[in-house]
Amino acid sequence: MRSAPALRSIAGQMLVLLVAVVLLLVAAGAAALVWQARHTSEEKVRERALAVAETFAQSPEPLAALRPSDPSASLQPRAEGVRHRTGVGFVVATSPTGLYAFGGDRNRSNH
């Protein structure tokens, strides 16, 4: 019975309020850290994928490989090599006419 009057006092109420505020701040800080870590991780993956794509697109081999009658046959080994060297899940190269070569696990690309 003694705890009920203690919580009704100003000091007891302030203690409960302070504990609640501290718990709220800790929860908000943890949520912000989780969000920031996820955002940073996604940004790193996006930058890496873009770097691989730009490097592959600017190399002379893919452009030369698009000229033969079957560009997929000549681009496939190059795309697979890039995929292995860079560690990305898949590499897709498309021409302006829509022909493409694919390197990687087709199940991971949603095709």
Side-chain angles (χ1 to χ4, degrees):
M1 291 275 180
R2 188 168 185 186
S3 62
L7 287 179
R8 290 187 187 142
S9 71
I10 297 290
Q13 291 175 358
M14 289 301 292
L15 177 64
V16 170
L17 179 64
L18 285 173
V19 168
V21 168
V22 167
L23 289 176
L24 183 65
L25 287 173
V26 168
L33 286 173
V34 167
W35 179 82
Q36 183 181 16
R38 181 176 292 165
H39 179 61
T40 301
S41 175
E42 289 174 359
E43 189 65 30
K44 280 183 164 181
V45 169
R46 187 176 297 117
E47 288 173 1
R48 182 174 180 200
L50 183 60
V52 169
E54 287 175 342
T55 302
F56 186 71
Q58 292 174 2
S59 68
E61 295 157 348
L63 291 175
L66 289 174
R67 291 192 181 90
S69 60
D70 186 14
S72 290
S74 57
L75 274 176
Q76 180 75 30
R78 289 176 175 90
E80 190 63 25
V82 167
R83 187 184 74 83
H84 281 291
R85 285 190 306 271
T86 60
V88 296
F90 58 92
V91 173
V92 176
T94 60
S95 72
T97 59
L99 299 171
Y100 74 96
F102 184 85
D105 182 5
R106 290 182 187 269
N107 295 327
R108 292 181 63 185
S109 67
N110 297 325
H111 279 85

